[in-house]
Amino acid sequence: MTVFGKFSRRHFGKLAGLSALGLGAHPSRAAAAAAADGAAPASFPKDFVWGTATSSYQIEGAVNEDGRGRSIWDVFSHTPGKIEDNTTGDVANDHYHRYREDIGLIRDIGAKAYRFSIAWPRVFPDGAGKSNPKGLDFYDRLIDELLRQGIVPYATLYHWDLPQALEDRVGGWRSSETAKVFGDYAAHVAARITDRVSSIFTINEAGRFVTFGYGLGVDAPGLKLPDAEVNQVRHNVALAHGLAVQAIRAQGRPGTRVGVAENIATCVPAFDTPENVRAAETATRELNAGFLGVILEGKYTEGFLRYAGKDAPKFTDQELKIISTPTDFTGLNIYAPQFYIAASDQPPGWSMLPFPNSFPHMNSEWLRVGPETIYWAPRLAAKVWNVENIYISENGTSSEDKVHPDGKIYDLDRIMYLRNYLRQLQRATAEGVPVRGYFLWSLMDNFEWIFGYGKRFGLYHVDFETQRRTAKLSVAFYRDVVARNAIGV
Ligand code: BGP
């Protein structure tokens, strides 16, 4: 009998009991075990960046001010039948005029970072050529005010508001000309703001706007193109990203950091076995091969090209080089589990399991609840592409958010969602997954694309009649997380 054999079940029970009290075994493991139960506070790494996020068309309004050109979302939202509640972003949160007050809301949360986007048609009303001298003035004011209030700006260059002029002239993202002029726009912005902004996201959620805008016709510009053209659109967007990275390196202040913000196709192991985890890794690589993969690997996977067949995008080696210009970080927008993956004996070695109808979702039907998604997505991305700096560039939920007779908004479902997702994010950081920061979508209710004002994602409630902002209960929740850099008590 070995010495280990002498340990009886009782001994084990005793050790387990001691560690549950935090007295025995390995102290940090005991804390981790308790944390997993939702009991003990679980800290995020020192210097973890806490922020909130918004985008230009969703909040700015002022669509006809200071020389702004039209975007594809102006045209789309004004087309009858496209937006659920027949609204537009014409006024939205009137943030163009109320940005000072809105930055005060961020400060009141205690968040030290803010991710906003720049409207390309404010800067180049025709998409290219002559810049609008007043175009970047607003962002100068915004950035200066953020810095004055102690908040670090993170700028996004493209959050879907393509200049309509480019759509009309060259077919928008259908043409590589749009990628080229996006590079020029990136250079122009970088030269102006990188003395004060050191982190820039190029493109937000290509995965969404390419498929929904150009394939399914649901988002602007509302096209239903055949697969070959959709694949070409996605390739052009990836090229735009690469050209922007190079332009920022050339025109920006040395040390400016740049990366993409993508709604990675989220693959979650159906349950945690080594086989399912390996299957989820392979699925993550293949299902993201058309955008994130080509950016991070410099090539389309064989699986992607085989699956696309004659519809595969046309590209050159030179383009692949540009697309995969090294970046400094990778932004992942994480809301819901998209695919539960299991290992399979059949090629390609993994399968997607069907969702039961009873799978729970939040107030937005597409927003299935799967807190573990925010653990697996960065972990798998780090493993598959070896990325070193990950930001959760968006995470959050809609909620019905009715104002209670006492004037308050008790968004307990949002708090439930955030509490569970942040637990899983903490688990990722504690295990060494290199997540450096988190941007909660969104700072305030806003124009939620095809849902208009019908879906509320904000930490702050907005009364769109009066433009009054009111903190929801989740502001108190998030403020506490940020202040303690931890989740749980
Ligand atoms: C992300 C977008 C955000 C935001 C959020 C909510 O995809 O980057 O801009 O809108 O989703 O989505 P939706 O309004 O479609 O419900």
Side-chain angles (χ1 to χ4, degrees):
M1 187 187 272
T2 64
V3 64
F4 296 108
K6 284 189 191 149
F7 279 100
S8 68
R9 278 176 172 271
R10 242 183 73 229
H11 282 103
F12 255 101
K14 226 171 165 190
L15 279 175
L18 284 174
S19 62
L21 288 170
L23 299 172
H26 193 285
S28 64
R29 248 188 247 141
D37 291 332
S43 297
F44 285 83
K46 196 172 144 283
D47 301 329
F48 192 79
V49 174
W50 293 106
T52 63
T54 63
S55 91
S56 44
Y57 187 69
Q58 294 181 271
I59 63 167
E60 285 178 2
V63 290
N64 293 317
E65 257 171 81
D66 295 333
R68 176 186 181 276
R70 280 188 316 162
S71 79
I72 56 173
W73 271 95
D74 294 293
V75 174
F76 191 74
S77 65
H78 278 268
T79 309
K82 299 294 184 196
I83 309 298
E84 240 173 45
D85 58 3
N86 290 315
T87 55
T88 71
D90 284 2
V91 178
N93 298 44
D94 193 31
H95 173 74
Y96 196 77
H97 303 112
R98 296 169 194 263
Y99 66 94
R100 263 198 201 92
E101 175 196 342
D102 292 339
I103 294 169
L105 303 179
I106 310 173
R107 199 201 43 220
D108 287 348
I109 299 168
K112 287 287 182 303
Y114 176 55
R115 176 174 173 242
F116 63 95
S117 83
I118 295 174
W120 184 354
R122 286 200 192 280
V123 186
F124 289 98
D126 290 325
K130 217 173 114 19
S131 67
N132 169 24
K134 290 192 176 162
L136 280 173
D137 288 357
F138 167 66
Y139 300 100
D140 269 342
R141 295 195 289 278
L142 178 75
I143 292 163
D144 290 343
E145 184 63 21
L146 283 164
L147 294 174
R148 203 183 64 75
Q149 298 204 35
I151 295 156
V152 180
Y154 286 66
T156 302
L157 295 178
Y158 186 76
H159 202 126
W160 309 354
D161 39 5
L162 183 76
Q164 179 65 31
L166 286 174
E167 192 65 34
D168 295 341
R169 213 164 52 238
V170 300
W173 290 113
R174 280 168 284 176
S175 165
S176 59
E177 177 64 18
T178 296
K180 194 183 142 290
V181 294
F182 182 70
D184 300 340
Y185 157 63
H188 182 84
V189 173
R192 176 85 164 259
I193 69 169
T194 53
D195 57 337
R196 289 153 296 150
V197 177
S198 58
S199 303
I200 299 184
F201 292 98
T202 53
I203 304 241
N204 182 74
E205 290 201 6
R208 156 95 182 250
F209 80 78
V210 171
T211 307
F212 284 76
Y214 294 83
L216 302 173
V218 173
D219 284 340
L223 300 174
K224 292 183 186 165
L225 303 175
D227 286 353
E229 286 181 57
V230 175
N231 285 335
Q232 202 60 47
V233 164
R234 192 179 302 102
H235 177 77
N236 291 339
V237 176
L239 183 61
H241 156 82
L243 289 167
V245 175
Q246 297 192 342
I248 293 164
R249 297 249 191 277
Q251 295 298 320
R253 195 180 247 209
T256 304
R257 302 179 325 140
V258 56
V260 72
E262 181 58 355
N263 57 328
I264 180 174
T266 49
C267 299
V268 177
F271 47 90
D272 301 8
T273 62
E275 296 75 27
N276 285 349
V277 172
R278 265 196 305 278
E281 275 167 25
T282 317
T284 296
R285 179 160 183 253
E286 289 304 336
L287 294 174
N288 289 288
F291 190 72
L292 214 43
V294 70
I295 286 175
L296 296 171
E297 294 184 35
K299 61 172 192 287
Y300 291 111
T301 62
E302 273 171 33
F304 172 82
L305 292 175
R306 206 179 322 116
Y307 181 78
K310 63 173 182 14
D311 295 331
K314 312 238 171 322
F315 57 88
T316 63
D317 285 351
Q318 177 59 17
E319 285 174 349
L320 294 184
K321 262 209 175 125
I322 297 170
I323 289 173
S324 59
T325 307
T327 51
D328 303 285
F329 56 76
T330 303
L332 303 178
N333 292 2
I334 311 274
Y335 288 90
Q338 277 162 293
F339 307 105
Y340 279 97
I341 303 291
S344 160
D345 296 339
Q346 306 297 315
W350 51 274
S351 61
M352 293 170 182
L353 305 187
F355 278 91
N357 286 338
S358 56
F359 200 95
H361 64 78
M362 300 300 292
N363 192 39
S364 297
E365 260 176 53
W366 63 265
L367 218 169
R368 293 187 178 118
V369 189
E372 68 278 18
T373 315
I374 208 167
Y375 166 79
W376 283 108
R379 173 173 154 173
L380 296 173
K383 177 79 195 299
V384 172
W385 297 295
N386 222 357
V387 283
E388 283 172 5
N389 295 302
I390 296 175
Y391 288 89
I392 303 302
S393 31
E394 285 180 26
N395 170 247
T397 182
S398 60
S399 170
E400 207 182 31
D401 295 338
K402 290 244 159 56
V403 183
H404 196 262
D406 66 5
K408 299 201 168 123
I409 300 112
Y410 297 99
D411 56 341
L412 289 166
D413 50 350
R414 176 172 293 104
I415 293 173
M416 176 279 292
Y417 174 97
L418 293 173
R419 184 202 287 129
N420 283 289
Y421 273 66
L422 288 174
R423 270 278 175 204
Q424 291 288 331
L425 184 61
Q426 192 280 335
R427 176 183 165 209
T429 59
E431 290 180 17
V433 178
V435 182
R436 313 294 180 205
Y438 171 91
F439 294 87
L440 202 156
W441 184 272
S442 178
L443 171 63
M444 52 187 168
D445 298 338
N446 58 53
F447 177 76
E448 284 292 348
W449 309 114
I450 56 168
F451 304 106
Y453 299 96
K455 290 285 181 250
R456 295 178 176 271
F457 276 79
L459 284 168
Y460 287 87
H461 179 272
V462 178
D463 177 334
F464 290 99
E465 297 289 311
T466 61
Q467 290 295 347
R468 192 183 138 91
R469 280 82 158 130
T470 308
K472 301 176 191 174
L473 189 60
S474 51
V475 166
F477 164 79
Y478 193 45
R479 183 190 288 132
D480 175 66
V481 170
V482 172
R484 291 188 301 113
N485 195 35
I487 179 93
V489 287

